Amino acid sequence: MTSAPDAEPVPSRLHIGLQRAGSTYLYELLASHPDVALVRKGVSFYATSFERGLEWYQTLFPPRGIRIDSSPDYFFRGRIVAPRIKAATARTSPRFVLLLRNPIDYTASRFLLHRRTKGLRKRFGATPRDLEALVRDHPEYLDESRYAGLLEQHWFAHFQPTQFCIVLFEDFVADPPAATEVVLRFFGLRPYPLSAPPSSRNATLRHPFLHAVKRAIVRRPGLRAAVRGNPLVQRAYDRLLVGRVEKLTVTQRAWLRDLLAADVARLKRLLANSLAPWRDFQ
């Protein structure tokens, strides 16, 4: 049995997004690898705690193991995050893993979450009655669903495309072992059978306060480990706490497709990828 390698001072392996696209599940899978040194998901140092300094950031991680910063909000904050990462990792060549979900489904999932957690009220001063009303009044809400624009403007301006491993959420859901094998190889990690609890799967919870409870659990390693290892809690989570997902109508999908089609076409060219699982855009 080999011991975990010495940790590098500043993590050069980063999982930068996407929220609502399996980020918690990937985090839990990586946490089960014996060579990985993870701090809590969403530490968001480069986005929200940069003033604390790199020394503080480094102390958050275990002393041994391959350090991975899993902060799914980085992708959307690339304007400020990317140059900070570039400066902090100047002596290394950082690697970024990014999960991308069909932007139609991502937009719908994000809207549902924001509506249930009062995020729309905080941002816009009111909670729109439906997604169409929100986009009509605030078209900038779709900016975070235009991945190609974000990649080109904020990330590829500082890093080479070869420094990114972009995995489609739909492929990840269809075959988690195959997708995680790609991630492990990209991060330079040895193959290992990974596992994650059901509660880490992408889900919308029945009540807004449950999202706050889940965040509190994720941020406390001891409590997270206790919940993770309790099969009764996991079964209760699946049966009692996960809410029904409101599906978009055919008309709503077509409406969003028209609004996002240009960016998806741009993304196909940018990645040289057909994005076949995103059937709305084929």
Side-chain angles (χ1 to χ4, degrees):
M1 180 176 178
T2 58
S3 60
D6 290 332
E8 58 186 353
V10 179
S12 63
R13 297 165 177 83
L14 302 98
H15 166 214
I16 61 173
L18 199 64
Q19 294 172 313
R20 310 302 300 162
S23 59
T24 300
Y25 190 42
L26 178 59
Y27 170 87
E28 292 287 355
L29 289 171
L30 291 172
S32 71
H33 195 293
D35 295 344
V36 168
L38 275 173
V39 70
R40 64 173 172 82
K41 175 176 172 280
V43 65
S44 299
F45 166 70
Y46 292 105
T48 61
S49 302
F50 193 66
E51 72 284 352
R52 291 176 178 249
L54 284 173
E55 290 187 6
W56 173 84
Y57 176 49
Q58 293 168 37
T59 63
L60 298 178
F61 292 86
R64 293 184 63 80
I66 295 175
R67 294 179 170 181
I68 298 175
D69 180 343
S70 179
S71 298
D73 64 333
Y74 279 169
F75 181 58
F76 300 124
R77 301 184 180 191
R79 183 179 62 82
I80 61 171
V81 166
R84 289 174 174 177
I85 294 175
K86 185 175 182 180
T89 60
R91 297 182 180 180
T92 62
S93 180
R95 305 177 194 179
F96 304 94
V97 165
L98 173 62
L99 293 171
L100 291 182
R101 185 179 184 181
N102 182 323
I104 294 175
D105 298 317
Y106 165 71
T107 300
S109 179
R110 176 169 165 254
F111 172 74
L112 180 59
L113 175 66
H114 285 170
R115 192 176 65 187
R116 289 193 175 188
T117 58
K118 310 303 181 184
L120 297 173
R121 184 176 298 278
K122 292 177 183 178
R123 184 171 176 180
F124 301 116
T127 301
R129 62 185 180 275
D130 54 41
L131 180 58
E132 291 94 327
L134 173 62
V135 173
R136 183 187 64 244
D137 297 337
H138 301 280
E140 70 275 12
Y141 188 72
L142 289 183
D143 288 351
E144 292 183 7
S145 301
R146 295 187 170 100
Y147 310 140
L150 293 168
L151 276 170
E152 284 192 313
Q153 293 171 30
H154 303 314
W155 292 96
F156 290 175
H158 298 280
F159 305 101
Q160 296 299 314
T162 54
Q163 291 176 256
F164 293 78
C165 174
I166 296 177
V167 177
L168 300 187
F169 168 77
E170 293 76 13
D171 290 337
F172 184 34
V173 171
D175 193 349
T180 51
E181 181 182 355
V182 171
V183 172
L184 292 182
R185 187 165 57 247
F186 180 75
F187 273 160
L189 293 162
R190 62 186 170 98
Y192 190 84
L194 307 178
S195 63
S199 59
S200 64
R201 293 198 300 266
N202 196 60
T204 297
L205 302 179
R206 289 182 186 273
H207 303 289
F209 81 92
L210 292 173
H211 290 280
V213 172
K214 185 174 181 179
R215 286 194 297 270
I217 291 173
V218 168
R219 291 174 179 176
R220 291 167 173 80
L223 184 57
R224 181 173 65 84
V227 171
R228 189 178 192 273
N230 190 319
L232 293 177
V233 172
Q234 297 303 324
R235 284 198 292 272
Y237 177 89
D238 270 350
R239 296 178 183 180
L240 303 176
L241 304 183
V242 176
R244 293 184 60 188
V245 176
E246 299 176 19
K247 293 185 178 180
L248 294 173
T249 66
V250 173
T251 301
Q252 288 173 319
R253 295 193 72 87
W255 164 69
L256 281 173
R257 181 195 62 218
D258 291 343
L259 291 174
L260 298 169
D263 187 78
V264 171
R266 185 177 169 190
L267 186 66
K268 288 181 181 181
R269 295 191 296 270
L270 196 63
L271 304 181
N273 188 319
S274 67
L275 307 178
W278 296 359
R279 296 178 182 176
D280 301 271
F281 301 98
Q282 301 306 310

